[in-house]
Amino acid sequence: FVLIDMATPGIQIRPLVMTSGEKVQNQVFFDDVRVPKANVLGQIDDGWTVAKYLLEFERGGGAASPALQVMAEEIATAAADQPAPGGGRLVDDPAFARKLADARIRTEVLEILEYRVLAALAGGGHPGAASSMLKVVATELSQALTELAMEAAGPRGRVYQPHATWPSRPG
């Protein structure tokens, strides 16, 4: 693993453009980059082992469940004011209520798993593969809750995306 000055010759950084037009992440390409030996961390050719260890901490140690639980409550509140397809309130619609209950249960499970990882960290351990699992579970839950939020928003759920009205311009 090496410490690299990103202005080093041979490093090329290209933004990843999201469908919204935002540039929040980059691709980084290394083409015949030369790095001083003093910048090597660990053993030469052992960089992937170091990177995997660092990625465990990048993904682990956080807690996504509190925000997702708040989001589920806000969805329930919005759905209480939204009419259901067959009449009544959306929050009382059996299909919608089942999806919301499922998402709430999954956020509770995520919270328990996050506490396990945090307890391991507090005890001097490291998150291991659980950090990647938590990232996937949290991302899937966030997507499911966002879809429920769109449903609960009803006609107001159209997203403001001004670049969508400019088909000739890059997004």
Side-chain angles (χ1 to χ4, degrees):
F1 198 75
V2 290
L3 296 173
I4 302 175
D5 176 359
M6 297 307 280
T8 301
I11 297 177
Q12 186 179 51
I13 301 170
R14 292 187 215 150
L16 291 171
V17 181
M18 310 301 282
T19 56
S20 64
E22 298 172 285
K23 298 173 185 173
V24 295
Q25 294 180 335
N26 294 308
Q27 297 179 55
V28 181
F29 297 90
F30 301 93
D31 186 29
D32 296 323
V33 177
R34 311 258 326 148
V35 178
K37 218 175 203 178
N39 290 13
V40 174
L41 300 175
Q43 301 297 316
I44 291 178
D45 293 330
D46 202 25
W48 180 236
T49 301
V50 174
K52 288 187 298 184
Y53 179 76
L54 294 173
L55 284 171
E56 289 179 16
F57 288 93
E58 179 216 9
R59 293 183 171 181
S65 58
L68 294 174
Q69 290 166 342
V70 168
M71 189 174 180
E73 288 304 314
E74 290 173 350
I75 291 167
T77 300
D81 294 334
Q82 195 62 243
R89 300 181 316 159
L90 182 61
V91 74
D92 298 324
D93 178 69
F96 183 84
R98 182 197 56 76
K99 290 184 279 187
L100 183 57
D102 177 69
R104 284 178 159 165
I105 291 166
R106 290 167 52 203
T107 58
E108 296 292 326
V109 171
L110 176 63
E111 180 180 37
I112 292 166
L113 295 173
E114 287 172 340
Y115 278 134
R116 283 183 166 177
V117 169
L118 291 172
L121 291 172
H126 58 89
S131 62
S132 292
M133 178 193 66
L134 291 176
K135 176 71 173 169
V136 170
V137 170
T139 300
E140 289 175 347
L141 271 170
S142 178
Q143 180 176 345
L145 286 167
T146 299
E147 290 170 1
L148 281 173
M150 292 297 293
E151 191 174 340
R156 297 172 293 160
R158 287 177 290 194
V159 179
Y160 176 68
Q161 295 184 25
H163 63 278
T165 62
W166 304 323
S168 63
R169 292 178 63 182

